Amino acid sequence: MPAESPAACKKLLIIGATGLIGKFITEALVQNTSKFDRIAILTSSATVQNKAQEIENLKKEGVDIIVGDVTNSKDVVEAYRDIDTVISAVGRDVIEHQVELIRLANESDTVHRFFPSEYGTDIEYSPASANEKPHQKKLIVRAAIKKCDKLDYTYVVTGPYADLCLGPMMGQLGSFDVKKKEAVLLGDDDIKTSYTTMRDVGKLVTLAALHPDASRNKALKVNSFTATNLEILQEFEKQTGSKWKVSYTSMDQLKKIEKEAWSSGTPMATGATLRRIWAEGGTLYEKRDNHLIEAENIVDTLEDAVAEAIKQQTKSMI
Ligand SMILES: NC(=O)c1ccc[n+]([C@@H]2O[C@H](COP(=O)([O-])OP(=O)(O)OC[C@H]3O[C@@H](n4cnc5c(N)ncnc54)[C@H](OP(=O)(O)O)[C@@H]3O)[C@@H](O)[C@H]2O)c1
């Protein structure tokens, strides 16, 4: 790794810019265009076709749209020209391919910083993390990046997204259903988890790029807020004005669901393991790193996240 003070992150390339979290990262970076010299995205021709309006809007904001295939090295080398920082937000299906993206970044004359697609659970939280199935590909990526001699890195570790966890989608894996006023809590009332809203993920990645020294060669453990199951439930009850029906999925039940999901190979297996890790305290730290990148007072609170969840879930009722 280079020993001298790191260079600035000014010319950015986002890969996975229109994905679930990439959209929020790109939006936050674009809102800060004046602080960067260049913002580009590398995206596929299919995305350019299927998300034409989104791509058009980015173009209007001054974003360079580079069309290519992330699995084609020639396209990637071309996209890395005049770029100093790569921010990857690729989906789980292509996580491992980042090893090649990192190799090419290390060989590039201009790229000096790589943000791999993390934006979730700390995959090196404890010794037990090394054996967790959903972490394996991201661990390979971290190992590849640490071997580079010319490339710095930043892992933005945010924990689970409040937008998803405070929604109804995960059913018995933990959910808050505003229309039915029903919640399923994982474990018990006192289980505490650290959450980040998706819009905050965008802001936090932007601030990490704007603080290249503080964010250099580390896992930045940032979040929006930490809350217990009961605190979240009570906030929903307060904001919706009445008591909710509550049920629980015990840790033993969760582990059983997790085991069955992995043996039958269902897609929910990854989600079940992550939920078990979160419920076991795998998102909690004595101190968060928000202060390192001047992000102490700009993040969402539990109140904000619950208000947003209510807004999203009642949208179609308005
Ligand atoms: N903390 C949490 O609760 C949480 C939740 C979900 C995800 N995550 C993490 O966030 C990161 C991004 O995940 P995501 O869900 O946002 O990703 P996603 O929406 O599935 O995909 C992101 C983008 O990857 C790009 N991509 C390029 N080649 C691809 C290929 N062959 N297959 C699939 N995608 C391809 C696409 O970019 P274009 O738009 O340019 O086409 C796509 O939009 C991952 O590291 C994931 O683990 C965290």
Side-chain angles (χ1 to χ4, degrees), residues 15-22 41-44 47 51 69-71 89-95 117-121 138 158-161 164-165 278:
I15 305 180
T18 71
L20 175 73
I21 204 58
I41 70 166
L42 170 61
T43 192
S44 64
T47 295
K51 300 181 183 173
D69 178 356
V70 293
T71 63
V90 295
R92 277 199 170 270
D93 291 350
V94 267
I95 287 291
S117 186
E118 289 257 348
Y119 323 116
T121 313
K138 288 188 177 180
T158 60
Y161 301 158
L164 306 182
C165 296
W278 303 338

Side-chain angles (χ1 to χ4, degrees), residues 161-182:
Y161 301 158
D163 318 50
L164 306 182
C165 296
L166 273 52
M169 302 79 74
M170 294 302 277
Q172 62 180 150
L173 290 182
S175 51
F176 294 88
D177 189 324
V178 174
K179 287 183 190 165
K180 293 184 182 158
K181 294 195 172 173
E182 282 179 17

Side-chain angles (χ1 to χ4, degrees), residues 162-178 180-187 195 229 232-233 236 244-249 275 309 313:
D163 318 50
L164 306 182
C165 296
L166 273 52
M169 302 79 74
M170 294 302 277
Q172 62 180 150
L173 290 182
S175 51
F176 294 88
D177 189 324
V178 174
K180 293 184 182 158
K181 294 195 172 173
E182 282 179 17
V184 180
L185 306 185
L186 279 188
Y195 299 93
N229 283 336
I232 299 172
L233 174 69
F236 270 109
W244 281 33
K245 189 176 160 203
V246 183
S247 59
Y248 296 84
T249 299
R275 295 222 159 205
Q313 292 187 47

